[in-house]
Amino acid sequence: MKSITMRNFLLTAGTVILSFVILGAAFMFLGRRYVVSDKQDSLSRTAGEVSHSLWAELHNMPGSDLADISYNPFIAAVSSITGYHVFLCDASGAVINSSDDLLSPFLGRRIAENYMATLRDTGALSAFGTLGGFYPVPYYVVAQAIHSPFGTGVAGYVFIASDSGSIMRAWGTFLGIVLVAALVVLAVALLLSYFTSKRQAKPLNEMAAAARHFERGDFSARVGDVRREDEIGELTRSFNAMAESLEKSEELRREFIANISHELKTPMTSISGFADGLLDGTIPEESRDKYLRTISSETKRLSRLVRSMLDLSVMQRQGASAMHMSEFDLSEVLRRTLVNFEAKATRKNLDVDVDLPEERMMVPGDADAITRVVYNLLDNAIKFSRENSTIGLSLWKQDGRAYVSVKDQGETIPESELPLIFDRFHKADRSRSQDRDGVGLGLNLVKTILSNHDGDISVTSRDGVTEFIFALNLTLGGVGRSPTKEK
């Protein structure tokens, strides 16, 4: 059970870590660019402010030039506040003021001509390097022109520089903070991943355990946590539905074996007992015909049972393909089938209430199979009717379907028996004492035939009146449709 959880966790954790690695690499690249860009923007802003301040200073000193204010403490103050190296050059590129001190080694040095050419052309400069050997190590350098307030051209240039080490230190500090935050987020993500994987794997583990129970023939195992509204919850509910179906199928299989054993045992015991009695002379000569008739009856009963089981198996296995489909008159089928029961109805002194339409009622299907449906229903109706009572047979059309009703007056079927009446080998209590010839497959066969015809059947039983109603689709164009019952 732990293996599923661990596999899910490792898979999720691997995905999370890989995502963090990719995001971290992208962040380091983009973040470094952001820090450098931000530093360059800061250098440019500082250069602009210094340039503007010196322009204002020159403006307040008419007739002076940049050399006259070369010892302006403003330069040193800017450097102290920002941490940048600030120096001024005259129009020719010679350093005339530096923020480090009055004895700065940079005083008097000249900026390389290629940089000065860029400054003269554009009025601004942004570079990374030693500035043509000006610095011993690479610096980020930004420069701007200081224009004369009196329209005499460029008074000089201000250079703002920051060594790359300071930028990297700032980047390292920023990266350290981000790294700590990322590790915390990663730890939280892994914890959430573990518990999420454990929660996701729990029903899967239960399904695996339930499957092992199924393998041993125990279909009672179920998976909990069915209230989840995600794919796992849907899978859990489907699995439990499958388990219930398997359990029901197993119960039906055991019941089927028990019922078929019972149905076979009774006639076989009778046949064996009577045959032995005839052979050993226990049964007297004058009773031989009686018991031979009993043996014949039981043999025919076994034959009916086997034949019904074979027919049912073929229909359930082949479905509608086992039917010989054509178009036939359902009303005519009801009339022909009813004629076969005239003698049985007369023996029980039963009246038959027939309500069939005069016009043809065409339906698609297997006429012989539907005849068998009607035969079984009428046979049951006569068999379970009280003597001197009435059975009913009626046919009508409604909403594009043909409806057939077979009704008898006898004992009421208990409410609890109605949902089971179409199951194989099920017999209501009233039939066990009366239906000696039945094998308990008739109604199951009826339902199977109707299902193969896209039809359905229902049963009601109240106050001694039991009614079976089945429906078949009408042939399109065969008869008209009516929103109400037509007789």
Side-chain angles (χ1 to χ4, degrees):
M1 293 176 65
K2 293 182 179 178
S3 60
I4 297 178
T5 302
M6 187 55 63
R7 283 198 300 270
N8 288 344
F9 170 67
L10 291 177
L11 179 61
T12 307
T15 304
V16 171
I17 293 174
L18 180 61
S19 300
F20 265 83
V21 169
I22 295 174
L23 289 175
F27 177 79
M28 289 182 65
F29 175 73
L30 296 176
R32 185 178 183 279
R33 290 188 59 183
Y34 171 77
V35 170
V36 172
S37 176
D38 182 68
K39 180 64 71 173
Q40 289 176 334
D41 290 342
S42 177
L43 291 171
S44 296
R45 288 193 301 270
T46 303
E49 291 172 359
V50 172
S51 175
H52 180 75
S53 297
L54 292 177
W55 180 90
E57 191 73 19
L58 289 172
H59 186 271
N60 292 330
M61 300 173 61
S64 61
D65 58 20
L66 199 60
D68 296 330
I69 56 172
S70 59
Y71 300 106
N72 193 330
F74 175 70
I75 303 298
V78 170
S79 177
S80 176
I81 294 172
T82 61
Y84 302 148
H85 181 224
V86 183
F87 64 92
L88 305 178
C89 293
D90 60 17
S92 65
V95 178
I96 60 175
N97 195 337
S98 179
S99 63
D100 41 7
D101 55 50
L102 296 177
L103 301 177
S104 171
F106 300 109
L107 292 175
R109 297 180 62 178
R110 287 186 177 277
I111 305 300
E113 183 57 32
N114 58 322
Y115 294 107
M116 292 306 299
T118 302
L119 273 172
R120 293 188 189 102
D121 292 340
T122 63
L125 173 69
S126 178
F128 174 72
T130 62
L131 206 61
F134 187 82
Y135 288 114
V137 295
Y139 270 65
Y140 288 95
V141 181
V142 171
Q144 286 192 14
I146 304 172
H147 296 278
S148 172
F150 308 111
T152 58
V154 176
Y157 302 95
V158 57
F159 284 78
I160 309 295
S162 176
D163 66 282
S164 58
S166 64
I167 295 179
M168 290 301 101
R169 285 191 295 274
W171 163 239
T173 301
F174 177 72
L175 183 62
I177 295 173
V178 172
L179 182 61
V180 172
L183 289 175
V184 172
V185 172
L186 178 61
V188 172
L190 290 177
L191 285 174
L192 291 176
S193 171
Y194 174 76
F195 288 110
T196 300
S197 299
K198 189 174 182 180
R199 181 172 181 266
Q200 295 281 41
K202 181 181 177 182
L204 299 179
N205 290 330
E206 292 181 0
M207 289 180 196
R212 288 190 289 271
H213 283 281
F214 296 166
E215 185 180 6
R216 296 192 295 268
D218 178 12
F219 297 96
S220 61
R222 296 292 184 274
V223 180
D225 198 14
V226 297
R227 292 175 295 179
R228 293 175 55 160
E229 296 300 329
D230 56 4
E231 291 81 0
I232 296 294
E234 182 66 26
L235 176 62
T236 298
R237 288 187 287 273
S238 298
F239 183 88
N240 285 342
M242 179 195 71
E244 290 175 4
S245 177
L246 288 174
E247 186 175 27
K248 184 176 181 181
S249 296
E250 179 63 14
E251 290 176 358
L252 291 175
R253 185 186 70 82
R254 291 174 181 173
E255 183 180 356
F256 173 78
I257 293 175
N259 287 333
I260 195 67
S261 299
H262 173 78
E263 295 292 340
L264 291 172
K265 179 181 178 181
T266 302
M268 291 177 68
T269 300
S270 298
I271 293 172
S272 176
F274 293 144
D276 290 341
L278 291 171
L279 290 173
D280 61 20
T282 304
I283 298 176
E285 187 69 26
E286 60 273 14
S287 301
R288 288 175 63 88
D289 291 345
K290 172 185 174 183
Y291 289 103
L292 285 173
R293 282 193 296 272
T294 302
I295 291 175
S296 176
S297 175
E298 294 296 325
T299 303
K300 292 176 181 177
R301 183 183 174 199
L302 281 175
S303 178
R304 287 196 302 272
L305 174 61
V306 173
R307 186 171 60 252
S308 296
M309 290 177 60
L310 290 175
D311 291 345
L312 188 59
S313 176
V314 169
M315 290 181 184
Q316 290 179 338
R317 184 176 66 254
Q318 298 182 3
S321 62
M323 305 288 102
H324 302 288
M325 308 300 282
S326 63
E327 184 179 317
F328 63 92
D329 182 7
L330 181 58
S331 180
E332 180 62 24
V333 167
L334 296 179
R335 288 188 179 92
R336 287 202 315 265
T337 308
L338 182 60
V339 170
N340 296 325
F341 291 94
E342 182 177 358
K344 284 188 176 182
T346 301
R347 283 196 296 270
K348 294 189 71 172
N349 198 25
L350 298 176
D351 289 331
V352 181
D353 181 12
V354 180
D355 190 357
L356 302 178
E358 294 182 1
E359 72 272 14
R360 290 160 48 127
M361 194 169 293
M362 307 303 293
V363 297
D366 187 330
D368 291 339
I370 297 302
T371 299
R372 191 166 186 178
V373 168
V374 178
Y375 187 95
N376 283 347
L377 293 178
L378 285 174
D379 187 52
N380 281 346
I382 293 174
K383 192 180 301 179
F384 301 127
S385 291
R386 294 190 305 270
E387 291 191 5
N388 303 313
S389 63
T390 300
I391 62 172
L393 176 64
S394 57
L395 170 65
W396 70 93
K397 59 186 177 182
Q398 180 178 336
D399 298 330
R401 306 196 88 190
Y403 291 84
V404 177
S405 168
V406 179
K407 187 184 301 184
D408 70 80
Q409 299 175 5
E411 295 184 20
T412 302
I413 302 176
E415 190 73 22
S416 60
E417 295 281 351
L418 291 177
L420 308 173
I421 201 167
F422 295 103
D423 291 348
R424 285 180 296 182
F425 293 109
H426 179 78
K427 295 183 181 181
D429 290 341
R430 66 173 186 156
S431 67
R432 290 200 179 273
S433 59
Q434 301 177 29
D435 185 16
R436 176 65 178 170
D437 297 327
V439 295
L441 292 174
L443 291 179
N444 185 254
L445 190 61
V446 164
K447 187 170 185 179
T448 300
I449 293 173
L450 291 174
S451 295
N452 291 338
H453 282 76
D454 194 24
D456 51 60
I457 185 169
S458 61
V459 57
T460 58
S461 187
R462 300 185 187 89
D463 301 326
V465 177
T466 299
E467 182 179 20
F468 287 85
I469 297 177
F470 70 87
L472 294 171
N473 294 324
L474 288 169
T475 300
L476 293 178
V479 294
R481 297 187 180 185
S482 173
T484 59
K485 178 177 176 180
E486 298 178 10
K487 297 291 184 73

